[in-house]
Amino acid sequence: KDLHETITNFQTDYGWGRAIAAPQIGSFKQIVYMFNKQTSSVFINPMLTEKSNEMVEVWDNCMSFPDLLVKVKRHKKCRLTYRDENWVEHIEIIEGDMSELIQHEVDHLDGILAVSRAVDNKSIVLRSEKGKIVGY
């Protein structure tokens, strides 16, 4: 409930945000909550394995620092194992946007912020400067 309230309030205030990890609201549990429009998903104890060698570069945004964009490299595809809110185990191969997003959120569970994954020292910019970014 706290994760849902936080992300919906953030979406109202900023107009974006797809997922949140429990540590972002001070709850040190291994939980990721995704919410987009009317669809929600809960990932308990998510683990990423079998990560592809193929990487993609993306401009990452984060609710922890909403005014920044950070260019990071993420695995294009990986295997996700988790439990849902009914404690049913799921194993999925994920790729594309979902792969990037879950890697970002699992990083939060491990205490890693996107700024720690910046590809170089020119890969952190203010959101207001995104129009000047080539390829954004």
Side-chain angles (χ1 to χ4, degrees):
K1 181 179 174 189
D2 289 342
L3 291 168
H4 180 78
E5 288 177 5
T6 302
I7 197 165
T8 55
N9 287 339
F10 186 90
Q11 289 170 342
T12 298
D13 291 347
Y14 291 93
W16 58 273
R18 301 178 290 163
I20 187 169
Q24 289 178 274
I25 62 168
S27 178
F28 298 102
K29 297 179 180 176
Q30 294 288 299
I31 299 172
V32 170
Y33 179 73
M34 290 186 188
F35 181 75
N36 191 355
K37 298 181 183 168
Q38 299 302 317
T39 304
S40 65
S41 301
V42 175
F43 302 84
I44 302 170
N45 296 331
M47 293 185 306
L48 296 170
T49 58
E50 298 180 24
K51 299 171 187 172
S52 67
N53 290 330
E54 188 176 358
M55 305 290 282
V56 293
E57 277 190 2
V58 296
W59 282 99
D60 208 351
N61 55 29
C62 183
M63 292 171 58
S64 295
F65 41 88
D67 294 329
L68 293 181
L69 294 170
V70 181
K71 187 190 285 186
V72 299
K73 286 186 179 182
R74 300 280 186 197
H75 298 276
K76 187 172 184 176
K77 184 165 114 175
C78 53
R79 179 179 174 198
L80 173 65
T81 303
Y82 66 95
R83 293 192 181 270
D84 65 21
E85 62 272 15
N86 297 313
W87 209 244
V88 175
E89 185 176 63
H90 299 266
I91 300 172
E92 300 176 21
I93 302 299
I94 57 173
E95 54 188 309
D97 290 347
M98 180 66 166
S99 178
E100 177 272 320
L101 179 59
I102 200 70
Q103 288 173 71
H104 175 104
E105 298 306 331
V106 169
D107 273 354
H108 278 298
L109 299 178
D110 294 335
I112 300 168
L113 294 175
V115 292
S116 300
R117 295 213 184 267
V119 296
D120 58 32
N121 63 358
K122 296 177 183 173
S123 294
I124 301 174
V125 298
L126 293 173
R127 184 175 287 278
S128 61
E129 299 293 311
K130 74 180 182 183
K132 298 176 183 176
I133 300 170
V134 176
Y136 186 82

